[in-house]
Amino acid sequence: METVKGLFDLDIFFHLSPDLFCISGYDGYLKKVNASVSALLEYSAEELYGRPVNDFIHPEDRDFTEKQRDLLRQGQPLLHFENRYITASGRTVWLNWASMPVPEKKLVYAIARDVTHKKQQEADRNRLLADLSRMHQELKQLSYTSSHDLRGPVSNLLALFGLLDQESIEDPALREFIDIFQSATHALKANVDHYVNLLGEAHPAHRNETLSFQGVLDDVLQGIQALIQGARATLRVDFSACPEVSFPRAHLASIFLNLLTNAIKYAHPERLPEITLSSRHGAQGIELIIEDNGQGFDMDAVAHKVFGLHQTFHEGMDSKGIGLYLVQNYLKSCGGSIFLESQLNKGSRFTLVFPEARLA
């Protein structure tokens, strides 16, 4: 029977491996390396044998590596150990080691793998997370400052209403206008106070509540009553099939606000806006349907970008292309989705899907 040595040339295996194979002595010198070591560190085998291993290790890692080498001399294997080496051209490379000591020969047999690319990915990821954290804090501070600074002017407006003797106003139309203005100002103050409170919480965006569709809609309508009346819009609402949903209140209010104001802003010039809101239990969860008879979209042209940031589709409108982007992201944050069916000059139908598993 042929011996293993006759079947396999282990020396060829040693030198052809893409991993780094090393044999080093307890004296701190390399005794044998394969071609991959020389290729990565950019030194010949003779140069590697002629100097202590520490000469090739990154200066900041030498003390730590020496402590691990002491453990090897005591007969302890060293697994998943990482340190840095400096190549002949000055590059820093990260190596992940598996080292086995042979005390009777005072040798260490080691295999290393170049993990420099993984370390770079980790550094890039950590840098990105640090940048995102900084941006989050800056945006949070900006939001808090903006919300806080709005409270003063809003409170002043409410104080002025308190000084106004509405009983002395004889014109019914003017009195109705003031009532609407006062109601909208109260709604604005409630929203500002709510956002300030949310900013003080650890994770306000993830706090779900069991909400009444009708209750949140009523709060939103109170703030845009003048807009609806001015546009002579008709609203038809039926949430009887599914009256509640579990979702962050501020996000649901923003969804109603964005889709209702869009339906009015992009009303068809030849007809008054009609908006229908309904809910139901669908195959994927709770569905909120909002339909309008406005200008609609050419879906063949815009379907792939309608929910994109800063996308606008109607000329001559004061639009920033943010509303639909926000609505989609609110839903995605809870595992939901939004679908749009639309025809140009006929209207649009938005179907918003909330995962029913989120129900309290």
Side-chain angles (χ1 to χ4, degrees):
M1 181 175 176
E2 195 171 5
T3 65
V4 172
K5 188 172 181 180
L7 289 171
F8 304 107
D9 191 331
L10 298 180
D11 196 54
I12 292 178
F13 173 73
F14 182 89
H15 286 289
L16 290 182
S17 172
D19 289 332
L20 283 67
F21 285 6
C22 307
I23 303 174
S24 64
Y26 280 20
D27 60 359
Y29 281 81
L30 291 166
K31 307 302 181 182
K32 188 172 183 179
V33 298
N34 68 352
S36 296
V37 179
S38 293
L40 181 64
L41 298 184
E42 303 168 354
Y43 290 102
S44 68
E46 290 72 22
E47 290 174 309
L48 292 169
Y49 299 152
R51 294 162 56 184
V53 176
N54 270 0
D55 284 2
F56 307 105
I57 296 175
H58 193 288
E60 295 178 4
D61 291 355
R62 287 174 185 171
D63 290 344
F64 176 63
T65 302
E66 185 61 35
K67 292 178 181 178
Q68 302 305 309
R69 194 178 289 130
D70 287 341
L71 296 176
L72 284 167
R73 295 189 186 105
Q74 296 170 24
Q76 298 184 30
L78 187 62
L79 305 176
H80 307 299
F81 170 67
E82 294 182 348
N83 63 357
R84 291 170 291 177
Y85 278 69
I86 305 296
T87 69
S89 62
R91 293 186 304 111
T92 297
V93 294
W94 279 92
L95 299 180
N96 182 291
W97 292 92
S99 304
M100 303 296 294
V102 182
E104 61 271 19
K105 294 185 178 182
K106 294 187 177 181
L107 294 175
V108 175
Y109 291 77
I111 301 175
R113 179 160 293 178
D114 181 7
V115 292
T116 307
H117 66 291
K118 292 184 179 179
K119 289 294 184 179
Q120 185 60 52
Q121 288 175 346
E122 289 177 7
D124 292 342
R125 181 192 63 191
N126 291 337
R127 191 180 308 110
L128 178 60
L129 288 173
D131 289 343
L132 288 174
S133 178
R134 176 183 53 79
M135 293 170 62
H136 170 74
Q137 291 301 322
E138 291 176 355
L139 287 171
K140 184 175 180 179
Q141 183 60 39
L142 176 62
S143 298
Y144 184 85
T145 301
S146 301
S147 299
H148 184 271
D149 290 350
L150 278 172
R151 299 175 80 177
V154 172
S155 296
N156 286 338
L157 279 173
L158 292 175
L160 289 174
F161 284 122
L163 296 174
L164 185 63
D165 182 8
Q166 298 188 38
E167 296 299 325
S168 64
I169 300 175
E170 298 180 357
D171 187 342
L174 179 57
R175 184 179 295 178
E176 182 182 6
F177 172 78
I178 292 174
D179 286 341
I180 293 173
F181 190 20
Q182 185 175 15
S183 176
T185 306
H186 277 291
L188 176 59
K189 184 178 185 303
N191 284 335
V192 170
D193 289 343
H194 182 62
Y195 289 131
V196 169
N197 291 334
L198 284 179
L199 288 167
E201 298 179 12
H203 300 288
H206 300 290
R207 192 192 64 167
N208 279 22
E209 305 175 54
T210 300
L211 304 172
S212 159
F213 278 125
Q214 188 66 58
V216 177
L217 176 63
D218 288 344
D219 289 342
V220 172
L221 292 178
Q222 185 179 11
I224 60 171
Q225 185 179 358
L227 180 65
I228 293 173
Q229 290 184 355
R232 292 189 289 168
T234 300
L235 269 67
R236 300 183 180 90
V237 181
D238 182 4
F239 297 132
S240 59
C242 183
E244 293 183 339
V245 68
S246 182
F247 202 64
R249 174 177 287 274
H251 289 181
L252 183 58
S254 182
I255 288 172
F256 277 132
L257 180 64
N258 276 293
L259 295 182
L260 288 175
T261 54
N262 278 357
I264 294 172
K265 182 189 298 185
Y266 302 114
H268 196 281
E270 297 179 0
R271 54 181 176 263
L272 296 178
E274 297 180 0
I275 307 168
T276 301
L277 300 94
S278 62
S279 61
R280 65 188 182 191
H281 292 278
Q284 302 300 318
I286 295 172
E287 295 182 357
L288 171 66
I289 301 98
I290 302 180
E291 302 177 73
D292 65 64
N293 65 339
Q295 298 181 34
F297 297 89
D298 180 354
M299 295 302 292
D300 291 335
V302 307
H304 62 289
K305 59 182 180 179
V306 70
F307 295 107
L309 183 61
H310 300 310
Q311 298 291 330
T312 57
F313 309 102
H314 299 93
E315 297 293 333
M317 294 292 183
D318 180 21
S319 176
K320 304 298 182 184
I322 296 176
L324 292 181
Y325 172 81
L326 288 176
V327 170
Q328 183 188 54
N329 276 272
Y330 292 148
L331 289 161
K332 287 173 65 177
S333 71
C334 74
S337 54
I338 181 170
F339 303 95
L340 171 62
E341 303 168 74
S342 184
Q343 294 185 49
L344 197 60
N345 295 319
K346 291 189 176 181
S348 301
R349 174 189 173 99
F350 291 92
T351 301
L352 294 77
V353 181
F354 304 81
E356 201 150 7
R358 289 291 187 111
L359 278 172

